[in-house]
Amino acid sequence: MSLLGWPLVAVLATLTTAAVVSAMMLWTRVRGAPALRLAQRLGLLLGTQVTALLLVAAVVNDYGYFYGSWAELLGKDSKPTVVTVGGSGDASGASGPSTSALHVAGLHFAFKGHGIPKAVRAETIGDSARLAAAWAPPSQWASRGRLEAVTVQGARSGLSTPALVWLPPQYFQPAYRHTLFPAAEVLSGYPGTTTALVFRLHYPNVLLREIDAHRAKPTVLVMLRPTVAPPRDTECTNVPGGPQTLTYLTQDVPSAVEQLARVRPTGWAAIGASTGGYCATKMALTRSDLFPAAVSFSGYYHALRDGTTGDLWGGSPVLRNLNNPEWLVTHQTVPPVSLMMTIGTAERGPSGVADTRRFAALVHAPMTAHVIYVPGGGHNFGSWGYLVPGALDWVTNHLAGA
């Protein structure tokens, strides 16, 4: 039986109902010593709780497509076969190299001077600050890089959010003392956490390893979540009369980091998963001068409205279209940007694999799309984590040649 779909939910709903009815009918019929009767009743309660939890888990997984197969759930599908598609559209099913073949070379970074500008304040508390402090002592910055917890203040948008900035080892090496490094904004999903980008997807560790293996280029990582006005999901949109999230991510963050460190003023990348993938795509389409490359892990490509977003466009269909990647590539001149799109084939619904195929088919020159399908993959860290090394190789080398 498939992990996804109504049959499993129906079976678990039946078992849950049976467990509850059985507990009610047998509660007063247990026999034996007091300790034995207590054990039997605890067993009846445990049966109702376990089946109810399994039912809720199945419903949530079926809604979000987090695990696409039993093998993936049990950790037996950590290295799925990946089909890659290069060029300007979707050729699903064509054979191609796996992500392990998406290798190339290396890059760098370091802080300017000794002070931190007003736009970027070092955090003093919280998980991000503790994580940054434990990353590496100054004596190891030239070999492991530096991780710094900051709060980025938006001069234009007025928004503010914590971020983790990773500077590659080369930033601290004498040969690169005058080098301006490319940078990448790495976005979580909604609501997401910044620390998950380090703990669960391991972006700094993976990029360090790929740089050392000469497959990726030294690049500054600016890791943050797109939920800058919690609890609302602003979808990286400049909301009329509300949070100017797109301005914050495409203008305030790059400007603040440029004050902080030796980074290029242009030639950045945007990387994200789920909502972060939608944001990364929109950032490249709307600010191609700054973001010529983007990576979207299980992203979606249409303007979304649900209970977490509300009306983000002030009732304006024009504004909605301008925040809809599908509309942008269909009705406006597309910029010369490169996009890597990944999706698990078990991800269904309006934001699943069909959405990715539809958008890939709309891409045309001078824009290019590189599409990776993960057979049986779901909407989860497992599927994304397997693809992170190849994605970082691809995007950092793209930036190096930009």
Side-chain angles (χ1 to χ4, degrees):
M1 184 180 295
S2 173
L3 182 61
L4 293 171
W6 68 264
L8 178 61
V9 173
V11 168
L12 290 174
T14 302
L15 290 175
T16 301
T17 302
V20 172
V21 172
S22 298
M24 295 173 64
M25 294 179 62
L26 298 175
W27 190 262
T28 60
R29 299 183 183 183
V30 296
R31 298 291 183 267
L36 179 60
R37 293 199 302 271
L38 176 62
Q40 292 178 72
R41 285 171 174 159
L42 288 175
L44 292 172
L45 286 175
L46 182 62
T48 62
Q49 298 302 304
V50 169
T51 53
L53 285 173
L54 290 175
L55 174 61
V56 170
V59 170
V60 171
N61 187 64
D62 196 59
Y63 174 79
Y65 310 111
F66 301 112
Y67 292 95
S69 65
W70 292 102
E72 187 179 23
L73 176 65
L74 298 173
K76 297 180 180 179
D77 197 19
S78 58
K79 293 186 178 181
T81 301
V82 178
V83 176
T84 62
V85 181
S88 60
D90 179 4
S92 178
S95 61
S98 68
T99 48
S100 61
L102 301 175
H103 296 325
V104 201
L107 280 178
H108 319 100
F109 191 97
F111 283 106
K112 291 179 178 176
H114 302 287
I116 295 178
K118 292 181 180 179
V120 185
R121 299 199 313 265
E123 289 190 339
T124 57
I125 59 174
D127 292 339
S128 294
R130 287 190 290 271
L131 177 62
W135 174 260
S139 61
Q140 295 180 7
W141 288 351
S143 59
R144 280 184 50 76
R146 177 181 179 182
L147 189 66
E148 185 71 16
V150 301
T151 297
V152 181
Q153 304 281 1
R156 299 173 182 83
S157 67
L159 296 171
S160 173
T161 194
L164 283 165
V165 178
W166 182 74
L167 310 173
Q170 290 79 1
Y171 192 94
F172 305 96
Q173 297 170 6
Y176 296 89
R177 65 168 57 94
H178 301 300
T179 299
L180 293 180
F181 292 90
E185 280 190 41
V186 183
L187 304 173
S188 70
Y190 170 84
T193 63
T194 304
T195 53
L197 299 172
V198 177
F199 279 127
R200 299 298 302 276
L201 292 175
H202 309 289
Y203 274 99
N205 272 318
V206 171
L207 184 51
L208 177 62
R209 184 184 69 223
E210 296 302 292
I211 292 172
D212 288 343
H214 304 292
R215 292 189 290 260
K217 302 293 186 182
T219 302
V220 174
L221 300 179
V222 183
M223 296 168 282
L224 67 163
R225 63 180 194 157
T227 312
V228 295
R232 190 179 190 185
D233 177 10
T234 60
E235 295 279 298
C236 306
T237 301
N238 282 344
V239 182
Q244 302 296 289
T245 312
L246 188 63
T247 294
Y248 179 77
L249 293 173
T250 60
Q251 298 184 51
D252 288 338
V253 172
S255 177
V257 174
E258 189 183 353
Q259 294 178 54
L260 174 70
R262 288 185 283 110
V263 295
R264 296 177 183 173
T266 59
W268 284 42
I271 304 171
S274 190
T275 297
Y278 163 82
C279 292
T281 303
K282 185 164 68 172
M283 290 162 69
L285 288 173
T286 58
R287 284 300 308 272
S288 60
D289 56 321
L290 179 59
F291 299 97
V295 176
S296 173
F297 295 114
S298 295
Y300 43 92
Y301 305 95
H302 58 276
L304 178 69
R305 177 173 181 173
D306 60 21
T308 66
T309 66
D311 182 2
L312 297 169
W313 317 285
S316 169
V318 173
L319 286 180
R320 179 167 187 161
N321 287 338
L322 292 175
N323 285 277
N324 187 331
E326 289 184 358
W327 188 90
L328 290 173
V329 300
T330 305
H331 294 88
Q332 293 196 338
T333 302
V334 295
V337 296
S338 295
L339 176 64
M340 174 180 280
M341 310 158 60
T342 82
I343 193 72
T345 59
E347 298 188 60
R348 299 195 291 270
S351 298
V353 65
D355 185 55
T356 297
R357 288 195 173 109
R358 182 172 58 252
F359 182 74
L362 296 174
V363 172
H364 56 278
M367 180 180 178
T368 60
H370 186 83
V371 190
I372 299 177
Y373 297 96
V374 184
H379 199 84
N380 56 59
F381 288 119
S383 292
W384 305 332
Y386 176 66
L387 298 169
V388 165
L392 288 175
D393 296 345
W394 177 84
V395 77
T396 62
N397 281 280
H398 187 89
L399 294 182

